[in-house]
Amino acid sequence: MTTDPLALLAELERATARLARTVGGLTDKEVASPSLLPGWTRGHVLTHLARNADGLVNLLTWAETGVRTPMYTSYEDRTAAVEAGAGRPAAEHVADVTDASRAFAERAATVPADAWNTVVWTLNEKRIPALTVPWLRLKEVEIHHADLDVDYGSESWPESFVRRLLREVTHDYTGRKDAPRMVLTATDLGAQYVVGDGEGAPTVSGPGHALAAWLIGRGAHKSLVGTLPTLPSWG
């Protein structure tokens, strides 16, 4: 899997275009309706997507200038911003997501090659190289596009995205004491992913997108086969 930020930015551009087509067709009533995320309307999801783009612009600015520029001032401020923007009309959400996504793309396009290796901090103070920021944004766009529950689900995710997400999440779970041992087989990808010690571990098989969605807390699709262990919170 590539770590080239420019390649990931090309994938992000396509994902953002798909999101824009979905968002552009929403009515005020649909925006105010529940999303797949408990307690959040589609308006909450859209506002979060826009503010996430703003926050990641801050990280790219940090990478280029060397001046610490946090994603958000605090968890509380991030939550407040989402709540404040959630109830807006559909047209305002469209403009907000469009403008924020464009601002991120324009900022990413100007990052100097030597700045991509700069270490920046996420909201939870995880240290990451700036070259992973496009992947962070791609995850937000693809996952929350599905969370909108508007004719775009995990089955719509590109194979490259599914493979990368599966690899990342299973690797992260392997390093966690609260994650169960398991062996996952993505039947459509011809790939197997082992979390922890695979010997004698429960096995789960199914389409890669369904496995990925389950691992990140989006529910167990009926296509999954096997004994599904209880998962810890993701992210």
Side-chain angles (χ1 to χ4, degrees), residues 91-183:
E92 291 187 27
H93 280 292
V94 171
D96 192 17
V97 172
T98 299
D99 291 346
S101 297
R102 181 186 300 116
F104 176 85
E106 291 175 349
R107 189 68 189 84
T110 65
V111 174
D114 60 354
W116 286 113
N117 288 319
T118 303
V119 174
V120 296
W121 301 1
T122 60
L123 180 58
N124 61 5
E125 296 194 351
K126 180 180 180 180
R127 274 68 164 170
I128 60 170
L131 60 84
T132 64
V133 170
W135 168 241
L136 295 182
R137 181 58 183 170
L138 181 59
K139 281 193 295 184
E140 291 288 323
V141 170
E142 288 288 12
I143 293 171
H144 288 314
H145 190 172
D147 288 334
L148 290 173
D149 194 25
V150 186
D151 299 325
Y152 192 93
S154 64
E155 71 281 356
S156 304
W157 292 340
E159 180 180 315
S160 60
F161 177 77
V162 171
R163 286 182 181 274
R164 190 180 181 97
L165 185 59
L166 279 170
R167 187 180 68 172
E168 178 181 87
V169 177
T170 53
H171 178 270
D172 288 348
Y173 277 170
T174 294
R176 292 176 56 169
K177 293 181 179 180
D178 60 348
R181 298 181 307 118
M182 51 188 165
V183 177

Side-chain angles (χ1 to χ4, degrees), residues 59-76:
L59 294 189
L60 294 181
T61 300
W62 180 350
E64 181 171 350
T65 64
V67 177
R68 183 177 178 181
T69 313
M71 281 187 70
Y72 308 97
T73 52
S74 67
Y75 279 102
E76 293 75 16

